[in-house]
Amino acid sequence: MDIILFGPPGAGKGTQGALLAERHGMRRLSTGDLLRDALNAGTPLGREARRYMDAGELVPDDVILGMVRDTMEDEAHGVIFDGFPRTTEQARGLGGLLADLGRTLSGVAVLSVPDEALVRRLSGRLWCSQCGAVYNVHSNPPAAPGVCDVCGGELVQRPDDREETVRRRLEVYRAQTEPVLDYYEGDGTVVHRIDGDRPVERVLADLESVLHA
Ligand code: AP5
């Protein structure tokens, strides 16, 4: 079963995707994480992606589709797509890729959260520079300030979580990514709308109902 976890920046896609993957033996495929890995490794792809990411803009479709195709070739598990597709061109590309691999998309789950809550969440997000664990100074703080509970690594803010960049990411989401939902509704794919502005466990329960549907 392959599903898309959809929603604006900060809606909780990464948080929920990680929990679903762990509990249901699925793979979470986050294009944001793949890009950050390339960026940290200093690859040509990472260097190209950085200028888009730091500005809150989307990385070009051909780069994203090539990267996803490479990582899907030998995939044996159900996949949770997190932060992909983000344009209708990417949605068409994903359709072709899944068809080539003999896989089918089971549905799209959309997390909705008001913009001001998103800005607050992202400006309070901290991320472990060593193991990637995610915290929030408002809703999920670490036991000791600035230190990861899991591995003791240093907690840092993502460069694109500065407020002005977050607001640009939200504009880009409304203009370029939200129309992807019309694309899926138009082709008959099931789109589940979930209130993401609730405690993590309640959102997770709704997502698990979608998986079982
Ligand atoms: P990406 O890394 O995908 O970022 P995003 O989609 O903007 O999403 P985020 O990671 O910011 O948020 P999230 O929804 O995962 O929320 P999280 O669970 O962390 O992309 C970054 C950039 O890469 C893009 O801007 C673009 O440049 C590029 N890119 C990536 N994919 C691309 C693509 N396909 N095409 C083109 N370009 C692409 O939660 C956020 C915070 O809230 C955390 O602190 C968390 O603890 C907290 N939180 C989570 N759930 C709750 C809750 N229920 N209540 C309270 N707090 C909560």
Side-chain angles (χ1 to χ4, degrees):
M1 167 188 281
D2 295 338
I3 65 160
I4 296 171
L5 203 44
F6 200 93
K13 304 179 298 295
T15 301
Q16 298 293 341
L19 291 168
L20 288 173
E22 187 187 319
R23 291 190 185 199
H24 297 275
M26 299 174 76
R27 173 176 174 214
R28 170 177 159 255
L29 193 163
S30 157
T31 44
D33 283 355
L34 291 175
L35 290 168
R36 276 183 291 278
D37 287 347
L39 198 145
N40 291 334
T43 65
L45 187 152
R47 285 198 294 277
E48 186 190 352
R50 162 163 258 152
R51 59 197 173 97
Y52 296 99
M53 296 172 78
D54 285 353
E57 304 294 336
L58 296 184
V59 174
D61 291 333
D62 57 336
V63 174
I64 297 291
L65 286 167
M67 189 176 75
V68 171
R69 182 172 284 275
D70 286 349
T71 172
M72 286 285 294
E73 287 294 338
D74 300 316
E75 189 54 61
H77 297 92
V79 176
I80 302 162
F81 294 101
D82 164 358
F84 171 82
R86 266 172 142 99
T87 63
T88 47
E89 189 56 33
Q90 289 182 20
R92 279 191 208 97
L94 175 61
L97 172 60
L98 293 178
D100 288 351
L101 297 173
R103 307 176 73 108
T104 44
L105 186 63
S106 301
V108 180
V110 190
L111 301 178
S112 307
V113 177
D115 280 6
E116 286 315 309
L118 295 171
V119 173
R120 181 177 155 82
R121 277 187 192 183
L122 291 179
S123 55
R125 173 165 61 184
L126 292 172
W127 177 75
C128 177
S129 53
Q130 278 184 33
C131 73
V134 175
Y135 298 85
N136 195 283
V137 295
H138 308 297
S139 58
N140 177 29
V147 181
C148 179
D149 295 350
V150 180
C151 73
E154 183 193 5
L155 300 183
V156 295
Q157 189 182 38
R158 261 172 51 177
D160 58 346
D161 280 349
R162 287 189 305 263
E163 183 170 338
E164 68 276 16
T165 313
V166 167
R167 292 200 184 273
R168 177 62 192 150
R169 286 162 64 198
L170 289 172
E171 285 172 8
V172 168
Y173 174 78
R174 302 289 171 223
Q176 298 181 52
T177 302
E178 231 168 23
V180 173
L181 292 176
D182 297 334
Y183 170 85
Y184 281 121
E185 279 170 334
D187 84 353
T189 302
V190 187
V191 176
H192 306 266
R193 293 179 189 271
I194 293 171
D195 177 5
D197 193 18
R198 296 176 298 154
V200 169
E201 300 70 31
R202 293 190 52 199
V203 178
L204 181 64
D206 281 4
L207 284 167
E208 290 190 314
S209 312
V210 166
L211 282 187
H212 294 136

